[in-house]
Amino acid sequence: MQAEHDQFAQLLPWSAEPMPGWKSDKQLHSDYLSEKENSPGYTTEEAERLAGYRARILELTTFVITHPYWATLSGPDRVAARTALKHVHNTAGPAA
């Protein structure tokens, strides 16, 4: 779900609301000039889809962190289990 959200968010304009673009002045000790094109803002559909992703991510996060399983662990065991969960995507094989 987070990956879908991130992928979708990368396609959105840089600002949720219509905003004029800008170009920065040269900074001391740097030749880099940051620049943004005008942003048309999000469409209603884009804003609703993004809000849907965020709501679902919050729902899933709340489910995981409040699950009774965590009460069965304490101290270092709980930390180790939460750390393992954070990295399960690095070791998990294909879904069955």
Side-chain angles (χ1 to χ4, degrees):
M1 182 61 57
Q2 184 69 49
E4 289 177 34
H5 166 274
D6 294 348
Q7 186 176 19
F8 177 69
Q10 288 180 350
L11 302 174
L12 296 173
W14 62 267
S15 174
E17 301 295 326
M19 297 285 289
W22 50 268
K23 185 173 183 176
S24 70
D25 295 329
K26 183 182 177 313
Q27 300 297 310
L28 184 63
H29 306 298
S30 174
D31 291 328
Y32 178 73
L33 297 173
S34 62
E35 185 175 357
K36 291 282 186 190
E37 296 294 324
N38 291 338
S39 173
Y42 299 171
T43 65
T44 302
E45 294 79 16
E46 289 169 336
E48 288 172 356
R49 184 171 172 191
L50 189 61
Y53 278 128
R54 290 178 177 166
R56 182 67 174 147
I57 290 168
L58 179 60
E59 179 184 344
L60 293 171
T61 301
T62 301
F63 178 79
V64 170
I65 66 173
T66 61
H67 194 278
Y69 170 73
W70 302 113
T72 68
L73 303 171
S74 63
D77 293 335
R78 185 180 299 166
V79 173
R82 286 187 183 218
T83 300
L85 180 61
K86 283 173 48 177
H87 297 284
V88 73
H89 65 280
N90 296 333
T91 58

